[in-house]
Amino acid sequence: MNARLWKIGTRRAMAYVEGRENRDLLLTAAGKLPEPVKRGASLEAELRGAVAVYTDRKGKPFAWLIAFDPGRWDEVSALVGS
């Protein structure tokens, strides 16, 4: 899984992850239930559960930035392998 994790102080942790399936796995590990998003959905729909969404030149989402509780660090880092 192509992902990066970091903590911002003691109140928030962030994860960058590439791939929709990996995003859903990470959201689940972070204690958030991923909402299904249909192909071709608007960027607002792609943002559900994420802080930011990154798109390619064609506008197709390929990566997400997700904030999560640092108390879930062990679960998320075990999934990511960091």
Side-chain angles (χ1 to χ4, degrees), residues 2-62:
N2 190 7
R4 302 288 181 264
L5 300 176
W6 63 95
K7 289 183 182 178
I8 302 173
T10 59
R11 294 185 176 184
R12 180 175 277 189
M14 300 293 283
Y16 167 89
V17 64
E18 291 182 1
R20 184 172 276 119
E21 291 177 4
N22 293 332
R23 177 205 62 179
D24 292 345
L25 288 172
L26 195 133
L27 282 171
T28 301
K32 301 177 179 185
L33 293 176
E35 297 180 28
V37 178
K38 295 180 181 178
R39 289 208 175 271
S42 67
L43 284 180
E44 290 85 15
E46 291 286 352
L47 271 171
R48 291 185 199 145
V51 175
V53 60
Y54 301 91
T55 59
D56 61 15
R57 291 182 182 183
K58 295 180 182 179
K60 180 181 175 186
F62 71 91

